[in-house]
């Protein structure tokens, strides 16, 4: 292991030093003694035969201004056999006949290094062992393309493997010598095929085996896995241990893990090798049934190659045999890691562990809350939630239950302690009793700043008939999901109470006013809004009117599905005045309801609530969100009629957290998947990149409808073009105006003004005018992926 490589002619170290310091640009005429001439191969040494000269690495002129070549940059063919070469992992010898090695493994490593430098892989071919001792007498290493594959093995194979063998004769043969070393007896360096690119040489089979062996040695010599990053050769006690480690790493980086193929032993069924991949690995296979699916699943696989492969070793442990770190997609942000499928179990385990720790703090926390007997005890003394200047001049109309005031104060005090940005205000009555309470938090305020253009104020829910009124401020986000901006408990339902409530709401929202507010048919609320918010659009929420219809016409809903469908259609489907009036009259005639006073009354006020009217007022299509899942219906899942106010507040908090979680899920799904296009259309691609998936789905439906719309007439008036369009086969015509000067379009259906998205009629005119990109003024930020930016 410590022997030196010999040369035919030697010179003194002093001459070598002189050659280094000289300004000559030539090599030394005779070979010199190599400093540390024993060349290491992975810590082992080899010897050159006596007849092969070695080059002294100190005899290069490193100071000369003339161009010279370094040994490290020369190709193997230029250097010739027996010359030491450096490949980034140390020095090794170019194989030559007569070269000696300490062992068969040392010879294999040397030939493998040489093969990587050239660009081919090697294979262990025949071996001749002693019949007496069983030791290796001779061994041949060949090019991996040596010989030919027998044809009989591929005759019955459905998917034959690619042919790699071309009959290459390149090889190296070693034989054991009596003095205990192995000597190269035959070396053929000519190949009958092209070499691989140097950048892909690490993918050669022999190089993988060599790298794995070196990695195992490094892993045994050091404490691997300290930084939590997988490494080649890293060891694990079991397959599950490897998965947990890789999944933990994936959680830190930002991707989910999928268990891919597994190779099991045919003897005992144990896992021999296993591959864990990124969840976006591969591509989804095409299915003929996809043609008949109206809403296909979103595509998640995009061919990511990130993976971790483990193989079982002879001692029963598992080691990493392949690790690909790079992904071909954006990784998930830290705030959305818990949405990943493989991370949910990990998060659940962490939560369980956290609960155990939190349980030890409950007693201290409870004792602290109990000690807060007044509003000023637990919070900043500068913050006073009680509004002393806006006391009611009379006693509140509804009284609190016994102990309810203390529970409410303690609940909001604890919320303020946990989150200083939490805001709540209390109004007192003439007897200094709590009359009304309003609250909001930082998340609700942020939601309002992004989606507060349309506000729905709900006054239709009570915990019980003789108790206070619960009034939330709700809206809709860019995924068309319900969001809450704040809430109030009202024990007094006078105009002064509602005025105070709207004032506190604006105070919490830094004075920002909504564009539209939707309310119930309540004259008191309407008067308060007109006083505090005189400049905003106000209309009655159609959902609230429908909820009242359910109570007033409950006898009609039993056993009469046609009536239910007719009523729903009148309330939510008809967007034109003529169609609404015709359908209403038909419903009244068909079911004999002309004598119903309540229906006649709401029909007289139809302009306040029917969606066929006041379509110039932007409403963000909030009625469809309420139709899918009412705020009140969600609360009823948690509450019972005998629930007290503290239980109500806690369950309300859980429901709001569920809403936040659903938005996080939608954001994560939006970042990972792109909606499917109905065709290769530039306009759709542009819209898909801008809109959230839910909004794009609605937009694509409008575009699909526009394909069946025909242009009946076009009247030109300067830069203004007026089109008459209709759906093919239908008499109803729509008027669409298109201005060439500013690229604006306006339709008589007023869908954009009402919802914030262009209608099929306007899209038809844009297409007719060769407009292939959606004009930016018709992409509302509140519906886009960047709504919160």
């Amino acid at each position: 292991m410590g022997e030196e490589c010999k040369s035919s002619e030697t010179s003194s170290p002093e001459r070598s030093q002189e050659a280094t310091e000289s300004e000559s640009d030539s090599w030394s005429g005779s070979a010199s003694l190599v400093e540390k001439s024993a060349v290491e191969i992975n810590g082992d040494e080899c010897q050159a035969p006596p007849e092969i000269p070695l080059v002294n690495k100190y005899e290069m002129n490193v100071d000369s201004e003339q161009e010279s070549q370094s040994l490290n940059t020369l190709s193997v063919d230029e250097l010739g056999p027996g010359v030491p070469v450096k490949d980034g992992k140390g020095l090794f010898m170019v194989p030559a006949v007569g070269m000696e090695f300490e062992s068969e493994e040392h010879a294999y490593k040397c030939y493998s290094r040489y093969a990587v430098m050239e660009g081919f892989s090697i294979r262990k071919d025949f071996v001749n062992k002693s019949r007496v001792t069983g030791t290796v007498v001779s061994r041949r290493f060949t090019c991996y393309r040596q010989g030919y594959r027998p044809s009989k093995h591929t005759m019955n194979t459905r998917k034959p493997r690619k042919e790699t063998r071309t009959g290459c004769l390149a090889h190296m043969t070693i034989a054991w010598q009596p003095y205990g070393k192995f000597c190269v007896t035959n070396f053929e360096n000519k190949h009958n095929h092209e070499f691989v690119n140097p950048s892909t040489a690490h993918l050669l089979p022999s190089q993988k085996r060599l790298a794995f062996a070196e990695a195992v040695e490094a892993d045994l010599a050091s404490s691997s896995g300290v930084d939590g990053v997988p490494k080649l050769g890293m060891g694990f006690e079991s397959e599950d241990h490897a998965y947990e480690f890789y999944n933990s790493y994936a959680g830190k980086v930002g991707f989910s893990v999928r268990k891919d193929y597994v190779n099991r032993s045919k003897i005992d069924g144990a896992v021999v090798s296993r591959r864990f991949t990124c969840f976006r690995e591969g591509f989804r296979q095409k299915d003929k049934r996809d043609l008949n699916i109206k809403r296909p699943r979103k595509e998640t696989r995009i061919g990511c190659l990130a993976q971790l492969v483990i193989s079982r070793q002879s001692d029963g442990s598992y080691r990493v045999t392949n690790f690909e770190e790079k992904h071909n997609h954006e990784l998930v942000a830290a705030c959305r890691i818990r949405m990943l499928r493989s991370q949910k179990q990990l998060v659940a385990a962490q939560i369980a562990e956290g609960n155990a720790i939190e349980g030890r703090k409950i007693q201290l926390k409870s004792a602290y809350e109990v000690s807060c007997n007044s509003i000023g005890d637990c919070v900043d003394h500068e913050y006073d939630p009680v509004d002393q200047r806006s006391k009611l001049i009379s006693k509140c109309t509804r009284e609190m239950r016994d102990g309810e005031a203390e529970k409410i104060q303690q609940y909001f005090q604890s919320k303020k302690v946990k989150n200083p940005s939490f805001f709540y205000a209390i109004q007192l009555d003439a007897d200094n009793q709590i009359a009304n309470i309003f609250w909001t938090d930082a998340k609700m305020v942020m939601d309002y700043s992004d989606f507060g253009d349309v506000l729905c104020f709900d006054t239709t829910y009570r915990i019980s008939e003789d108790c206070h009124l619960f009034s939330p401020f709700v809206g809709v986000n860019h995924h068309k999901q319900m969001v809450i901006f704040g809430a109030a408990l009202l024990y007094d339902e006078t105009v002064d109470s509602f005025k105070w409530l709207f004032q506190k709401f604006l105070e919490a929202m830094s004075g920002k006013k909504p564009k539209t507010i939707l309310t119930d048919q309540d004259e008191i609320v309407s008067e308060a809004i007109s006083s505090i918010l005189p400049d905003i659009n106000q209309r009655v929420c159609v959902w609230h009117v429908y909820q009242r219809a359910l109570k007033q016409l409950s006898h009609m809903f039993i056993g009469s599905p046609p009536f239910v469908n007719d009523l729903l259609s009148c309330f939510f489907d008809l967007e034109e005045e003529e169609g609404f009036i015709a359908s209403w009259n038909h419903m009244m005639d068909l079911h004999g309801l002309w004598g119903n006073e309540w229906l006649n009354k709401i029909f007289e006020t139809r302009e306040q609530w029917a969606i066929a009217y006041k379509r110039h007022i932007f409403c963000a299509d909030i009625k469809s969100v309420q139709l899918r899942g009412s705020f009140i219906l969600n609360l009823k899942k948690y509450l019972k009629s005998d629930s007290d106010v503290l239980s109500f507040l806690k369950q309300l908090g859980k429901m709001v957290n569920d809403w936040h979680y659903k938005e996080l899920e939608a954001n994560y799904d939006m970042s990972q998947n792109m909606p499917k296009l109905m065709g290769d259309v530039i306009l759709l691609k542009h819209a898909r990149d801008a809109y959230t998936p839910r909004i794009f789905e609605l937009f694509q439906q409008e575009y699909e409808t526009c394909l069946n719309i025909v242009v009946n007439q076009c009247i030109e008036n300067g830069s203004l073009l007026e089109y008459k369009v209709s759906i093919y086969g239908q008499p109803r015509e729509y008027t669409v105006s298109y201005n060439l000067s500013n690229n604006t379009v306006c339709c008589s259906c007023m869908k954009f003004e009402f919802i914030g998205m262009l209608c099929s009629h306007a899209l038809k005119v844009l297409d007719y005018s060769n407009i292939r990109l959606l004009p930016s003024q018709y992409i509302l930020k509140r519906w886009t992926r960047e709504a919160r930016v």
Side-chain angles (χ1 to χ4, degrees), residues 87 293-294 364 518 543 560 576 634 640:
D87 68 344
I293 297 177
K294 294 183 178 180
L364 292 175
L518 307 175
W543 173 257
S560 182
E576 300 171 16
N634 287 330
K640 297 180 181 179

Side-chain angles (χ1 to χ4, degrees), residues 451 453-457 473-477 480-483 485 516-519 539-544 572 611 618-630 754-755 782-783:
F451 309 110
D453 47 2
V454 177
L455 179 65
C456 182
F457 181 61
F473 295 86
V474 297
V476 58
N477 65 10
K480 296 201 74 173
Q481 297 172 330
M482 195 80 78
V483 289
F485 306 136
T516 306
I517 185 167
L518 307 175
T519 63
R539 64 178 296 157
V540 176
C541 182
V542 63
W543 173 257
H544 294 162
F572 299 106
I611 61 176
F618 179 66
C619 293
D621 199 25
I622 196 170
K623 54 93 178 175
S624 65
V625 180
Q626 294 171 320
L627 189 62
R628 292 201 309 269
S630 168
F754 190 67
I755 295 178
R782 64 135 30 250
W783 295 134

Side-chain angles (χ1 to χ4, degrees), residues 62-87:
V62 295
D63 297 325
S64 175
E65 294 180 358
Q66 301 179 6
E67 183 179 359
S68 62
Q69 286 184 310
S70 172
L71 269 173
N72 298 341
T73 62
L74 294 176
S75 67
V76 177
D77 291 337
E78 290 173 333
L79 290 172
V83 177
V85 180
K86 190 173 183 180
D87 68 344

Side-chain angles (χ1 to χ4, degrees), residues 386-400 426-437 491-494 496-497 500:
V386 179
D387 190 352
Q388 302 288 350
R389 297 172 300 175
S390 301
K391 283 186 178 182
L392 295 175
I393 60 175
S394 60
K395 188 176 180 180
C396 61
T397 56
R398 298 181 184 273
E399 294 184 357
M400 287 188 173
I426 298 175
Q427 185 183 31
L428 304 178
D429 65 0
D431 295 339
N432 286 330
Q433 299 296 318
I434 294 178
N436 303 302
I437 304 171
Y491 293 84
D492 184 82
E493 300 173 33
T494 60
D496 290 338
S497 292
W500 173 86

Side-chain angles (χ1 to χ4, degrees), residues 686-701:
H686 180 220
R688 182 178 66 172
D689 293 338
Y691 287 133
T692 61
R694 175 59 182 154
I695 301 301
F696 174 74
E697 180 182 347
L698 299 175
F699 179 84
Q700 189 163 232
Q701 291 174 4

Side-chain angles (χ1 to χ4, degrees), residues 13 18 33 36 91 146 156 163 183 204 219 329 365 399 414 471 487 511 525 545 559 577 605 639:
E18 291 173 1
L33 181 63
K36 194 181 178 182
L91 294 171
Q146 172 266 347
N156 299 324
E163 186 59 60
C183 181
L204 294 170
D219 181 69
H329 56 89
K365 176 181 173 183
E399 294 184 357
S414 65
S471 300
V525 174
V545 180
E577 182 179 3
T605 61
L639 300 175

Side-chain angles (χ1 to χ4, degrees), residues 139-284:
R139 160 78 81 177
R140 182 170 66 187
F141 307 109
T142 65
C143 172
Y144 76 118
R145 310 199 77 168
Q146 172 266 347
Y148 299 94
R149 183 184 298 158
S151 59
K152 63 179 181 179
H153 296 294
T154 60
M155 293 180 62
N156 299 324
T157 305
R158 293 183 178 180
K159 293 183 178 181
R161 292 182 300 169
K162 293 182 180 180
E163 186 59 60
T164 58
R165 300 198 180 192
T166 60
C168 183
L169 298 178
H171 68 278
M172 183 179 79
T173 305
I174 58 174
W176 182 78
Q177 304 300 313
Y179 47 86
K181 296 183 182 296
F182 285 85
C183 181
V184 178
T185 58
N186 194 2
F187 175 63
E188 177 60 54
N189 63 351
K190 292 183 179 180
H191 299 257
N192 66 350
H193 57 87
E194 294 182 356
F195 294 146
V196 301
N197 191 301
S199 62
T200 59
H202 65 282
L203 300 177
L204 294 170
S206 61
Q207 175 60 14
K208 287 183 178 181
R209 291 192 293 268
L210 182 63
F212 174 69
E214 294 174 349
V216 171
E217 293 179 3
D219 181 69
L220 294 174
S222 62
S223 56
S224 63
V226 174
D227 56 355
V229 179
K231 294 181 178 62
L232 188 67
M234 181 180 292
F236 301 98
E237 296 178 357
S238 64
E239 173 201 0
D240 293 337
H241 183 203
Y243 173 77
E244 292 172 2
F245 181 85
Y246 190 50
N247 192 36
S248 176
Y249 161 77
K252 297 174 183 177
V253 174
F255 67 96
S256 184
V257 177
R258 175 182 288 133
K259 290 184 178 180
D260 201 30
Y261 84 81
V262 59
N263 183 21
R264 296 185 180 273
S265 171
K266 296 181 180 179
I267 300 175
D268 56 2
V271 174
V272 177
S273 61
R274 160 78 81 175
R275 180 170 65 187
F276 307 111
T277 65
C278 173
F279 74 118
R280 310 200 75 173
E281 173 268 343
F283 298 92
R284 183 185 299 164

